[in-house]
Amino acid sequence: MLRAFRNSGTPGWTLAAILAAAIVVSPIVALVAIASQGSGDLWPQLTAYVLPSAAINTGILLLGVGLLTGVVGVGTAWLVSTTEFPGRKVFDWALLLPLAIPTYILAYAYLDILHPLGPIQSALRALLGLSDPRSLYFPEIRSMGGVIFLLGFVLYPYVYLAARASFLMQSATALEAARILGAGRFEILFRVALPLARPAIVVGVTLALLEALNDIAATEFLGVRTLTIAIYSTWLNRSSLPGAAQISLFMLAIVTLLFLMERWARRHQRFFASGKRVQPPSPVPLDRLKAFGAIAACALPLAIGFLAPFAYLAEQAVRKLTSGGVSPMIWRETFNTVLYAGIATLFTLVVGLAIAYALRADKSGFASPASRVASIGYAIPGTVLAVGLLWPLAAFDNSVDAALRQWFGVSTGLLISGSGAALVLAYTIRFLAMSINATEAGYTKISENIDHAARSLGESSFGTLRKIHLPMLRPALGAAAILVFVDCMKELPATLMLRPFGVETLATHIYAEAVRGTYEDGSVAAILIVLAGLVPVVMLARVSRPAITPSTISS
Amino acid sequence: MNRLISSLAFVAAVTAGSIVPLPASGQGEVNVYTTREPKLIQPLFDLFTKNTGVKVNAIFIEKGMAERVAAEGANSPADIMMSVDIGNVLDGVARGVTQGVQSEALAAAVPANLRDKDGHWFALSLRARLIYVSNDRVKDKALNYADLADPKWKGKVCIRSGQHPYNTALIAAYIHHYGSAKAEEWLKGVKANLARKPAGGDREVARDILGGVCDIGVANSYYVGLMRGGSNEDQKKWGAAINTIMPTFPGGGTHVNISGASVAKNAPNKANAVKLLEFLVSNEAQAAYAKVNYEYPVRPSAQLDPIIAALGTLKTDQIDLTAIAKNRKQASELVDKVGFDQ
């Protein structure tokens, strides 16, 4: 009887989920169509010279970024959530700040900072009394090591966020039991806390890896050739879009695998995350020496991932503002950035909520695969997504236009691809996974008995969602909104390709300056994008504390 | 949920208000899609608007411009597509998104080897691929492209990615002059000489020479002007740290590439598009190209900027530009084959 009851009002939600999945999948279908046009004699050359090294580079990059974000993210999360030391409360939110810095801005800033002519090497030479730049050996940032270093220190907050939420949620009893049984702090960390937090950490690392894989501007700028770059040179230098689409699909397959691993990890976590509210472990005060170590361990990633590049950008921006002033267009660009990111965030949240609700309410078996498919957008690199979207959107626009011309004699032109709607759609597809994950995780905290009670008291499924779920989900939705918003603002490749005629955002502005080799002129826009991201990121730290909500993107 | 609905309504209202109206297809406008950052030539557009009253709307689409125009089809607002590198220009033609333009003014201003005989593309400016050398560590006064592979430069050469169009075009020309086997040997030799990974842009060559990372590198001519003649104090120092050499191929010519433009197949403002192209090759605009952007004009009579004139007399390689475009795929494959960027 229960089954029939559950099925009664739900097909609408399932249909919505399936529709969302269909939209997400449309650019992939377009890619498959492009790829199937055939690429001639491309593959022997690709498999001989391009893919092996690109795949190895991509593998090393992901391994390095995974390790670095994992160690930094988990380490700092452990310190701020289980120990007490001076400054802990500040680090608690400040460690999230690198989220506000787009990777491409970081790359430009660090090439300047670490260049032989830059402040660090100049200061070192002055200190050592050297005059010739060549007499000082300094590691080159334009290398695989450099890219891993930079991406690791700017992407670790994804891991930090997930691990922190998990550590804070772990029952004090489990950790205290371990302590009573004689385990030392490290033993507790490695034998109890880490295994318990593992699924959350995997989620965080996966997000960081997908971001790293998606990055084009920074890796290309610093000379590391990944699969993403191989897609470009095939497309642009060999004039083979089909070949590029084929590599894209190959990469998508790899990423889907990563993604499935992430889902698989989350599946386990559901088991124990749906408990009642637990007593968070009380932080253990550290003695002076250890406290010093903890401060250093938290300050280092913050300094590398945020403070140094921010200070550098601020210095450049001040110089720019005092010397030549700034383009009056910048306010319009800021407005566009916030507007498109804002609209896309709202869409992403609403669609994500519908899908998560379908998953919960529908047991027909369709909602689950639909939600997996709808999540795949996060795995598609921005440019690939943009190419895949171009054709379905333009085809839609042109057929609407043709039909209306024929019937009513009016031309609608490029309804979607000519307006910001294309951009909003691209962002939504790209970041839907974040909102589905967060909402789904939030739902695990709401007992299904509540739904049953509401429904048996005569509330509709929409009413249940509106009156009961929404208030309870607010923290989870808030955290998701902030992550999606910040990511939309930073998004570059799809924005560059799909933005409507006459629309510039801060990201495209910065990139245009960088292309002209005048990225210091883009510093004002770079600072604005970081500042616009700062407020939400600080809010994220608050909203993601389990005292308020037991979950953010994970758990 | 009421709040949700009201915020949705708000968003809908904002969206409706902010959706950018498609650039009108009536009189008085011309829409430019460009793979080249439009601010570089904004002064030229401004001059055009001042002279004719026709407004220029430009959008920078670095990658996928031809693809976007093709997808937009009959409703594409694009009138003119501008790009740098002959390969990219010809890609648009091959993609079928251009149309032939017959204009006496264009034919008279642009030498025949710098435009399509059917009017599908026109070169607007030229740039030479030079060798920058450290002015205190390198005494050589003349070098050719082949010399970049000379082992005496081991650990001393800087260059951007081999897959960048500026380099694939150079390599394509090298293949034309020496054959692909020798080109491969040459690329291996250059790779063995590299001081750092191929990365960044052309300006980084001068910067890295000043920073002591390398002694010699490959970069385009106009960057010398942008660095030395610009307002950035750091870049002035980079520009001052180098001498330039005009390297040559057999036959004594230096490799040049173009920036060019085509009229889009479905151009809604075709007349204005042709007008803009004709303006861009006029004496006035060609002089501005040279002055604002330090490029070589396509119009032989136009004057060079003094900074560029001081680099010496440019003798261009007499290769057919379409041969460069034809060899580009092979050049790109050679770059991968020798692992140039690895």
Side-chain angles (χ1 to χ4, degrees), chain A residues 22-35 37 231-232 235 241-242 244-246 248-249 252 377 380-396 416-417 422 425-426 429-430 493-494 497-498, chain B residues 63-64 67-68 71 95:
Chain A
I23 290 173
V24 168
V25 114
S26 62
I28 301 175
V29 173
L31 279 179
V32 171
I34 294 169
Q37 291 164 11
I231 294 175
Y232 275 131
W235 176 22
L241 185 60
Q246 288 166 4
S248 303
L249 290 172
L252 194 61
I380 312 176
T383 312
V384 175
L385 176 66
V387 176
L389 268 177
L390 262 179
W391 287 98
L393 286 184
F396 175 84
I416 295 183
S417 46
L425 190 62
I429 292 178
R430 180 105 169 69
M497 205 161 150
L498 292 175
Chain B
K63 287 160 178 145
E67 212 53 48
R68 176 159 162 177
R95 197 75 189 70

Side-chain angles (χ1 to χ4, degrees), chain A residues 49-50 57 112 115 134 142 225 237-239 339 394 398 401 466 497 499 501 511 516 519-520, chain B residues 1 14 37 57 60 62 68 71 75 91 137 163 198 203-204 207-208 212 232 328 332 336 342:
Chain A
Y49 305 120
V50 181
N57 277 341
D112 282 358
H115 195 269
R134 285 177 302 169
R142 284 165 289 197
R225 310 289 143 188
N237 290 340
R238 292 167 200 171
S239 313
L339 177 78
N398 282 325
D401 179 72
R466 191 184 102 193
M497 205 161 150
R499 74 195 192 285
F501 208 83
Y511 191 66
R516 285 196 285 153
Y519 28 85
E520 58 284 344
Chain B
M1 187 50 71
V14 172
E37 211 287 307
N57 308 305
F60 172 49
E62 193 194 26
R68 176 159 162 177
N75 281 308
D91 265 352
R137 297 190 294 273
Q163 293 291 3
R203 269 180 252 230
E204 258 83 59
R207 180 198 215 179
D208 282 346
N232 185 308
R328 184 174 66 146
S332 167
D336 282 333
Q342 293 306 317

Side-chain angles (χ1 to χ4, degrees), chain A residues 367-436:
Chain A
S368 172
S371 85
R372 303 294 175 265
V373 172
S375 297
I376 213 172
Y378 200 62
I380 312 176
T383 312
V384 175
L385 176 66
V387 176
L389 268 177
L390 262 179
W391 287 98
L393 286 184
F396 175 84
D397 285 344
N398 282 325
S399 46
V400 168
D401 179 72
L404 289 180
R405 262 179 216 246
Q406 200 183 352
W407 297 333
F408 305 107
V410 288
S411 167
T412 50
L414 298 172
L415 207 55
I416 295 183
S417 46
S419 72
L423 213 50
V424 169
L425 190 62
Y427 292 160
T428 307
I429 292 178
R430 180 105 169 69
F431 300 119
L432 189 56
M434 285 186 160
S435 99
I436 297 177

Side-chain angles (χ1 to χ4, degrees), chain A residues 354-373:
Chain A
I355 291 174
Y357 188 57
L359 264 179
R360 178 181 180 84
D362 177 274
K363 306 288 188 234
S364 68
F366 286 111
S368 172
S371 85
R372 303 294 175 265
V373 172

Side-chain angles (χ1 to χ4, degrees), chain B residues 85-104:
Chain B
D85 175 51
I86 178 67
N88 287 334
V89 171
L90 287 177
D91 265 352
V93 179
R95 197 75 189 70
V97 293
T98 59
Q99 60 171 304
V101 169
Q102 301 309 324
S103 151
E104 279 178 27

Side-chain angles (χ1 to χ4, degrees), chain A residues 501-513:
Chain A
F501 208 83
V503 168
E504 300 295 334
T505 68
L506 290 174
T508 62
H509 173 116
I510 296 162
Y511 191 66
E513 299 281 11

